[in-house]
Structure formats: C-alpha cells, structure tokens
C-alpha cells in the first residue's frame, strides 16, 4: 500500500471538463500504521485564503466530511460480509 497519495482535486461539469471559476485543491493523503489500524491524514492546500474561503462557502468541508462518513459505512458493510 502506498504511504502517500497526492492529487489535484477540481470541480468538473457533466462532461468531465474543469469548471474555470472554482479553484483547484492540492490534496495530500498520508497513511500511517497505528496500533494495527490505518490512520489517514488529509491535507488540503489552496492558492490563497480567498480560494479557501470560496470553497468553504460552497460547503466543501461538509461534503468532504460526508464522504468519510459514507466510506465508514461501506467499510462496516464490507467487514460484515467478510466475517459471514
């Protein structure tokens, strides 16, 4: 498993084309083994405080948190399938 994934996150239209007026986000995800579990540290970098505020105003923080909530539910479902 890789220890780190770095990618640029951007909003796109229905055809996959970047939406020009929404800033890109440089995301670094670091995976650390800790007490037999994997800890994920996510760092999102923005070009300026203004671009950070723009995406915060769009609800990106809540949206990102909900993705981890959904991932947690999926992993619990997978764990149940494996254990049965």
């Amino acid at each position: 498993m890789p220890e780190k994934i770095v990618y640029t996150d951007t909003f796109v239209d229905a055809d996959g084309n970047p939406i020009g007026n929404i800033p890109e986000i440089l995301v670094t995800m670091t995976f650390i083994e800790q007490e037999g579990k994997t800890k994920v540290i996510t760092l999102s970098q923005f070009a300026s405080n203004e671009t950070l505020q723009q995406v915060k105003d769009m609800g990106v923080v809540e949206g990102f948190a909900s993705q981890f909530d959904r991932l947690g539910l999926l992993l619990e479902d997978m764990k149940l399938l494996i254990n049965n």
Side-chain angles (χ1 to χ4, degrees):
M1 176 166 95
E3 294 176 1
K4 183 187 291 187
I5 298 173
V6 179
Y7 64 94
T8 301
D9 192 4
T10 188
F11 292 84
V12 296
D13 62 21
D15 296 321
N17 301 308
I19 299 173
N21 60 343
I22 300 177
E24 294 181 335
I25 305 167
L26 179 62
V27 180
T28 303
M29 298 181 80
T30 305
F31 302 87
I32 300 171
E33 183 73 23
Q34 190 174 52
E35 298 178 13
K37 297 182 179 184
T38 302
K39 179 177 183 177
V40 180
I41 300 170
T42 304
L43 172 68
S44 300
Q45 294 177 277
F46 300 87
S48 67
N49 286 334
E50 291 78 19
T51 58
L52 169 59
Q53 190 59 52
Q54 181 182 357
V55 296
K56 285 173 72 175
D57 291 344
M58 294 170 49
V60 170
V61 173
E62 296 82 4
F64 194 71
S66 73
Q67 291 175 354
F68 278 104
D69 291 341
R70 291 173 60 190
L71 175 60
L73 293 172
L74 174 64
L75 293 174
E76 284 298 320
D77 286 348
M78 292 174 66
K79 184 177 175 181
L80 290 173
L81 287 173
I82 292 171
N83 290 331
N84 288 327

